[in-house]
């Protein structure tokens, strides 16, 4: 699957697989979205860039 946005927000599902939750071109939006999502679903959430580099990971 090809994603055109610069930042992807992924959650760690119960099967310990990273699942794409959404994407955006705005780093601040990605960080805010990831932290909010992690708090809401009580799971690890990460932001990775277009190249697959980890930007930040929120652990629970």
């Amino acid at each position: 699957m090809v994603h055109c946005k610069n930042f992807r927000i992924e959650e760690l599902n119960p099967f310990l697989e990273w699942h794409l939750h959404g994407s955006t071109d705005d780093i601040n939006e990605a960080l805010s979205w990831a932290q909010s999502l992690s708090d809401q679903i009580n799971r690890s959430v990460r932001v990775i860039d277009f190249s697959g580099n980890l930007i930040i990971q929120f652990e629970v």
Side-chain angles (χ1 to χ4, degrees):
M1 180 183 295
V2 177
H3 303 282
C4 297
K5 304 289 184 174
N6 287 326
F7 303 99
R8 296 191 315 250
I9 297 89
E10 299 179 339
E11 65 180 81
L12 189 61
N13 69 24
F15 303 105
L16 302 179
E17 300 169 330
W18 288 105
H19 170 75
L20 177 66
H21 190 81
S23 59
T24 181
D25 283 325
D26 185 311
I27 183 65
N28 293 319
E29 181 181 20
L31 297 173
S32 177
W33 186 357
Q35 184 170 22
S36 175
L37 180 62
S38 180
D39 292 342
Q40 289 175 24
I41 65 174
N42 198 33
R43 291 189 194 144
S44 296
V45 176
R46 69 182 182 182
V47 175
I48 57 175
D49 68 13
F50 184 74
S51 298
N53 299 309
L54 179 66
I55 303 299
I56 194 167
Q57 185 167 324
F58 297 94
E59 297 287 342
V60 291

